[in-house]
Amino acid sequence: MVGFLLNRLLQITIVMFIVIAIAFSMFTYLGDPLVAILGADSTPAQRAALRAELGLDRPIIVQFASYVGNILSGDFGISYRLGRPVGAVLAERFPATFELAVSGMLIAVVVGIPAGVYAAIYKNRLSSRIIMGASLFGISLPSFFMGVLLIWVFSVNLMWLPSYGRGTTVDIAGWKTGLLTLDGLRALLMPALTIAVFQIAMIMRLVRAEMLEVMRSDYIRFARARGLSERSVNFRHALRNTLIPVVTVVGVQLGSVIAFAVITEAVFQWPGLGLLFLQSVAAADVSMMAAYLIVIAALFVFINLIVDLLYFAIDPRISISSGKG
Amino acid sequence: MKLNAKNSITAMAAAAMIAGASVAASAETLRIAAQADAGTMDPQAQNISTTISVVSMVYDALITRDRELKKVPALAESWENLSPTEWRFKLREGVTFHNGSAFGADDVAFSIKRSQQPTSQFSNFVSTIEDVRVVDDHTVEVVTKAPDPLLLDKLAYIFIMDRDWAEEHNVQEPQNLRDAQETYSVLNANGTGPYKLQSREPDSKTVFIRHADYWGEMAGDIDEIVFTPISSDPTRIAALVSNEIDLVIDVPSQDVGRLEANPDIKIEKTDEFRTIFFGFDQSSEALRHGDAGGKNPFKDIRVRQAIDHAINAEAIAKTVMRGLATPTGQILAPGNAGYDAALDVRAGYDPENAKALLAEAGYPDGFAIRLDCPNNRYINDEQICKAVTSMLTQIGLDVSLNLMPRAKYFPMLWERDTSMFLMGFNSPYFDGMYALETLLATRNDDSGQGIYNYALYSNSQLDEAIQAAAVEMDPEARNQQMAAMYKMIKDDMAYVPVHHQVLVYAMQTSVEAPVRPDNWLEIRWVKKD
């Protein structure tokens, strides 16, 4: 276990170093931060002064070293677009994205797993075929289109739900939550659903495929042979073993939903990390973009680690010494 | 399962309705949406129209404009010239900032000097000011380095801050980039304007409430303003149509027609002070990007005229811009001092003539050229350049289109690393002089002349005329001088103009929001019944 962890930490260090190097290179290749600070219309003298003030006139390797140093001490620099520390802005936006991603995944799990089980157990029924057909639709529908469609139906025509924003939020120890007000929940519904649609379809198809696989295995046949009830076979034996890969996928998907809720957040003006990233790109706010990249990479690394550790917990067959990676 | 999901939404939505959450706001709240948020609440950090519009709800300047766009007193009650370089301003008495402290001459001197700081995006506006003298509590004198006929127009953009408040919160500079610390004035504000900043969540929501002691007059009776950026075009328009928003100040051009047909929505339009035009490197001996046999064709006026004849500006206005552009023959928009309608005529779309001019200039088979173009700066910039690329191909040029985001585009122009480029420009102060000084005067980085002269255009006769007009204090004489200069550059085809953009606001029929051509939403003119 210790060897595994050490091995993992070494890998993580290498990955994060590469990510930081890529993030840093954005400063050089993705546009000039001076445009964001001074505007498009500035004098050469103003630009030279600011370049010196920000240390952008130093050799590139010195800039990189100081950037790595700052990151290690938790300082991501200042957002040129917002005039505020990047770390503080990221922390402020994270709750919105987290609540959206978690509620989207929650809907997906609550709907997707039973649907997948149903489609697996009754794989020959017409209703299962309809569910499978619908899931194909859900997987192929772009989230932008899904979002606009929901807005058109529930905001423009029915006028039931707000088309943008987070509604009223409540501040609990610095974490702004929209889950405690009716207004906030109403605002959450459509964005969460937009995220869920794809995930429902994916989880459902995964659960169905895994379940069918498990149902063919010997221990299920033995369980049946022992005369256990259908119900007990399906849920106690089959579903439990099906869930191992599902946990992995849900974990990784939660990470990717947090990282790539960009489109959904943009459609609903959801004030989270994705929208922040999009607006930073438009304004060439490179320090923000670089920090976003690093944070998201760290998030993925972290989630992967957790998932690996969960494997140990759930499945006793995976040996610790083998260092499955 | 899909069906179940849908049913449950319906149920939840219905529950929300029953619980009595209402979508409509009370009559005295105005909900404004724009494409992007104001970048900051600091009055001197960002010279962008959305930011100016939002900040102007909280802050006042010494001078403002009335509905006819004439300069009228704001925090300055009156002014006089002691000499061509000395101005005395009598300040309004009894005005208080939102935190209750009194407004006075110290605040004016402080704010003007703050605007001169390197991180102020308004430093060009106050660069002619040598000194600001506090005479007494309600009198200041402004001394300029040379006579500046536009001083008042420039001061209309300089918002007045409370000096004590700024010092208390350590915001004597518009941005503090060195210390990587939060600049207090980015999220907080204390002005004398009609609205107080109530709460601010960047990129999400900013709320203002009426300042009860406001000194000025308001057209309407709006108690509260909620400003929301909604970056997605369809969502912003959906929010307007579903009555979640009262006023949209960034209307996507493709939606204007549909909104005009909607009886619940009202559209206001005006010609914006922004002209879109093409520029050419007129200095290099050979094309920097392109191939014309070692020569630079753009040094020849006939080639520039050929390009002008090749561009079908009417077609661009009609198709690319969906009617939301006015084709123009010069780079100054109507409504600016120095504008002459007689010059605002295009030579006309004539590809045959264009080919003949190219042949006459020695390029019967055309030449290869790279056209540089931003893709996120001006309305439909990318599509304009694509259209022009095909138009230039028709007269025999071999055009390679180089599209770039603005953060890479402008640094390239700063280096003058271009042969042909698209640009949009609005001369500020409702006056044509700034465009002449910065786009057309020979480049001189020390004096600031020609800083945006990416064409490296140089005309000594024009330079002299600019010098003379810059210190001409008689408005009539000045206007004539400017009109003469604009004729000079039109005759010389220094730039090839395309069109002026049209500015569109969309609102609920209960709202009245006049559009200023400089895209400054003047909140004091807005009404809601």
Side-chain angles (χ1 to χ4, degrees):
Chain A
M1 183 77 182
V2 174
F4 166 77
L5 269 180
L6 281 179
N7 187 14
R8 256 310 155 96
L9 282 176
L10 181 73
Q11 287 177 13
I12 287 172
T13 313
I14 295 170
V15 166
M16 288 312 293
F17 184 80
I18 293 171
V19 168
I20 290 175
I22 292 171
F24 176 77
S25 65
M26 290 172 95
F27 285 90
T28 336
Y29 297 109
L30 225 71
D32 195 330
L34 298 193
V35 180
I37 306 170
L38 294 173
D41 308 336
S42 56
T43 67
Q46 282 172 323
R47 294 196 289 270
L50 193 64
R51 232 177 260 284
E53 188 176 324
L54 295 175
L56 295 175
D57 55 347
R58 296 172 299 170
I60 205 89
I61 191 77
V62 177
Q63 289 188 46
F64 181 61
S66 97
Y67 186 69
V68 173
N70 288 342
I71 297 284
L72 290 180
S73 62
D75 175 11
F76 287 102
I78 195 153
S79 156
Y80 300 133
R81 181 174 72 98
L82 297 165
R84 306 178 56 209
V86 168
V89 176
L90 288 175
E92 207 174 273
R93 300 299 174 86
F94 182 72
T97 295
F98 186 76
E99 286 182 2
L100 175 62
V102 168
S103 28
M105 285 310 286
L106 206 65
I107 297 178
V109 166
V110 166
V111 177
I113 292 182
V117 171
Y118 181 88
I121 297 176
Y122 307 108
K123 63 180 179 207
N124 293 324
R125 281 195 191 169
L126 179 65
S127 52
S128 296
R129 300 230 171 104
I130 292 174
I131 290 173
M132 290 308 289
S135 77
L136 207 66
F137 187 64
I139 273 192
S140 38
L141 203 63
S143 55
F144 171 78
F145 182 73
M146 179 71 196
V148 172
L149 192 71
L150 287 176
I151 290 176
W152 187 75
V153 173
F154 293 104
S155 300
V156 175
N157 284 305
L158 298 173
M159 293 199 176
W160 285 357
L161 295 170
S163 55
Y164 68 92
R166 252 189 117 187
T168 315
T169 53
V170 180
D171 196 321
I172 299 172
W175 180 286
K176 276 202 180 128
T177 177
L179 301 177
L180 298 179
T181 61
L182 184 63
D183 201 30
L185 288 173
R186 290 174 69 233
L188 178 63
L189 201 53
M190 289 200 296
L193 205 65
T194 305
I195 286 196
V197 165
F198 177 87
Q199 305 293 342
I200 290 174
M202 210 203 52
I203 290 175
M204 184 175 114
R205 297 181 81 85
L206 180 77
V207 168
R208 177 178 174 274
E210 289 292 332
M211 187 106 171
L212 287 177
E213 182 80 35
V214 170
M215 299 283 257
R216 277 198 295 272
S217 60
D218 291 341
Y219 70 89
I220 296 294
R221 265 188 247 150
F222 285 130
R224 286 228 168 86
R226 274 168 60 204
L228 294 177
S229 72
E230 253 329 271
R231 193 185 167 79
S232 172
V233 170
N234 285 341
F235 292 97
R236 187 160 298 176
H237 294 82
L239 180 61
R240 209 166 178 190
N241 285 288
T242 302
L243 286 183
I244 294 170
V246 173
V247 166
T248 318
V249 169
V250 168
V252 174
Q253 284 298 317
L254 180 66
S256 72
V257 166
I258 290 177
F260 306 119
V262 177
I263 306 283
T264 306
E265 291 193 2
V267 168
F268 292 99
Q269 191 68 24
W270 189 262
L273 295 175
L275 185 66
L276 176 70
F277 178 67
L278 216 61
Q279 284 164 338
S280 305
V281 170
D285 191 350
V286 276
S287 52
M288 189 64 92
M289 288 191 278
Y292 179 82
L293 189 67
I294 293 168
V295 166
I296 291 301
L299 181 78
F300 268 98
V301 165
F302 177 72
I303 286 179
N304 271 316
L305 186 67
I306 297 288
V307 165
D308 280 350
L309 294 176
L310 272 181
Y311 265 49
F312 289 121
I314 296 181
D315 192 341
R317 284 173 309 176
I318 298 171
S319 145
I320 283 167
S321 56
S322 72
K324 188 203 172 291
Chain B
M1 276 306 149
K2 268 205 109 63
L3 212 64
N4 282 353
K6 248 184 190 158
N7 282 343
S8 66
I9 311 163
T10 317
M12 278 173 83
M17 293 279 290
I18 293 160
S22 98
V23 185
S26 58
E28 54 279 357
T29 297
L30 182 76
R31 299 155 302 172
I32 306 173
Q35 200 268 331
D37 199 5
T40 172
M41 288 307 295
D42 190 287
Q44 269 103 38
Q46 226 179 37
N47 181 7
I48 292 176
S49 58
T50 309
T51 307
I52 294 177
S53 297
V54 171
V55 166
S56 73
M57 297 176 190
V58 176
Y59 288 98
D60 287 316
L62 291 179
I63 291 149
T64 185
R65 292 192 183 263
D66 65 10
R67 295 290 281 268
E68 280 76 48
L69 302 175
K70 290 198 180 64
K71 294 182 283 279
V72 290
L75 288 180
E77 219 162 24
S78 63
W79 49 83
E80 58 178 330
N81 266 117
L82 303 176
S83 76
T85 57
E86 285 173 296
W87 300 72
R88 170 174 285 188
F89 294 87
K90 191 89 197 83
L91 305 179
R92 199 173 289 278
E93 297 193 27
V95 174
T96 56
F97 287 98
H98 298 154
N99 68 354
S101 62
F103 155 76
D106 284 344
D107 302 314
V108 174
F110 168 79
S111 301
I112 291 175
K113 283 175 186 156
R114 189 177 191 270
S115 310
Q116 292 176 317
Q117 299 287 329
T119 52
S120 156
Q121 285 191 7
F122 293 86
S123 54
N124 291 337
F125 291 59
V126 285
S127 59
T128 58
I129 295 177
E130 172 108 67
D131 192 19
V132 186
R133 295 194 289 242
V134 174
V135 178
D136 63 42
D137 264 5
H138 290 94
T139 313
V140 285
E141 285 174 7
V142 174
V143 185
T144 59
K145 293 168 187 160
D148 184 357
L150 291 174
L151 183 76
L152 298 176
D153 306 80
K154 292 170 179 172
L155 287 177
Y157 292 85
I158 305 302
F159 294 118
I160 306 302
M161 289 177 94
D162 180 358
R163 189 189 70 175
D164 296 337
W165 181 84
E167 282 172 356
E168 184 189 333
H169 295 106
N170 194 25
V171 287
Q172 293 95 326
E173 288 175 67
Q175 287 187 75
N176 183 348
L177 298 162
R178 272 182 303 265
D179 305 340
Q181 271 175 11
E182 179 130 356
T183 309
Y184 187 78
S185 51
V186 165
L187 290 181
N188 300 277
N190 179 35
T192 57
Y195 291 93
K196 281 190 252 197
L197 179 64
Q198 166 99 341
S199 68
R200 172 151 173 83
E201 294 167 52
D203 295 336
S204 179
K205 188 164 89 168
T206 307
V207 181
F208 303 92
I209 49 166
R210 256 314 278 280
H211 174 40
D213 297 330
Y214 183 57
W215 57 269
E217 274 176 39
M218 304 291 289
D221 197 18
I222 298 163
D223 294 319
E224 188 190 40
I225 292 176
V226 181
F227 180 85
T228 314
I230 304 180
S231 57
S232 152
D233 288 345
T235 310
R236 190 160 66 253
I237 296 309
L240 177 75
V241 172
S242 59
N243 195 21
E244 294 168 78
I245 287 292
D246 296 311
L247 169 64
V248 171
I249 59 174
D250 284 302
V251 182
S253 47
Q254 68 269 19
D255 288 314
V256 173
R258 208 156 46 86
L259 290 173
E260 273 174 328
N262 186 331
D264 299 325
I265 303 295
K266 193 165 73 176
I267 295 277
E268 292 274 357
K269 289 183 205 171
T270 197
D271 264 1
E272 189 182 1
F273 281 168
R274 187 177 289 282
T275 309
I276 302 295
F277 53 86
F278 286 96
F280 317 93
D281 169 16
Q282 295 177 42
S283 153
S284 305
E285 284 309 317
L287 281 181
R288 280 170 159 272
H289 301 285
D291 181 16
K295 289 192 286 180
N296 178 359
F298 296 125
K299 289 171 88 84
D300 190 324
I301 183 174
R302 289 169 295 191
V303 173
R304 303 197 294 270
Q305 284 167 336
I307 303 240
D308 184 43
H309 280 303
I311 294 176
N312 188 346
E314 281 74 19
I316 291 174
K318 207 163 136 193
T319 56
V320 175
M321 302 297 289
R322 296 172 201 249
L324 296 174
T326 312
T328 178
Q330 68 166 340
I331 61 165
L332 187 65
N336 283 294
Y339 172 81
D340 182 356
L343 296 176
D344 202 349
V345 184
R346 289 188 60 82
Y349 173 58
D350 189 350
E352 289 312 312
N353 195 359
K355 279 186 209 159
L357 281 163
L358 278 183
E360 213 179 290
Y363 305 97
D365 302 321
F367 51 89
I369 178 71
R370 189 183 87 183
L371 170 58
D372 298 321
C373 191
N375 59 12
N376 61 354
R377 178 64 188 89
Y378 311 113
I379 299 176
N380 301 336
D381 41 14
E382 180 177 338
Q383 288 87 337
I384 293 171
C385 285
K386 282 185 175 156
V388 166
T389 299
S390 73
M391 289 168 186
L392 295 181
T393 307
Q394 281 168 19
I395 63 162
L397 299 192
D398 174 13
V399 185
S400 64
L401 180 55
N402 176 33
L403 292 165
M404 300 171 119
R406 63 172 178 242
K408 287 198 87 71
Y409 185 73
F410 287 103
M412 181 189 71
L413 291 189
W414 292 343
E415 298 303 324
R416 271 67 175 170
D417 189 18
T418 179
S419 288
M420 179 173 178
F421 58 94
L422 178 83
M423 199 171 168
F425 199 81
N426 63 326
S427 196
Y429 329 131
F430 299 74
D431 189 277
M433 197 61 202
Y434 189 75
L436 290 169
E437 283 175 337
T438 57
L439 285 176
L440 289 142
T442 303
R443 180 187 183 188
N444 177 344
D445 287 347
D446 296 327
S447 70
Q449 298 275 44
I451 45 172
Y452 313 132
N453 185 350
Y454 304 131
L456 291 170
Y457 178 77
S458 181
N459 177 340
S460 55
Q461 206 191 339
L462 180 72
D463 288 344
E464 278 166 34
I466 291 173
Q467 300 283 345
V471 292
E472 175 59 62
M473 296 297 277
D474 176 43
E476 232 359 84
R478 229 179 130 260
N479 284 352
Q480 280 172 11
Q481 287 170 342
M482 280 197 288
M485 286 188 276
Y486 274 103
K487 179 159 190 332
M488 204 187 291
I489 60 164
K490 184 183 164 71
D491 291 345
D492 202 16
M493 204 43 91
Y495 290 100
V496 170
V498 183
H499 57 240
H500 311 300
Q501 292 179 177
V502 171
L503 200 54
V504 184
Y505 288 178
M507 61 204 86
Q508 305 293 339
T509 43
S510 59
V511 176
E512 211 173 285
V515 191
R516 257 174 74 155
D518 58 350
N519 202 3
W520 174 336
L521 173 67
E522 181 48 88
I523 199 68
R524 291 169 305 166
W525 302 350
V526 180
K527 277 205 296 206
K528 186 185 175 188
D529 299 325

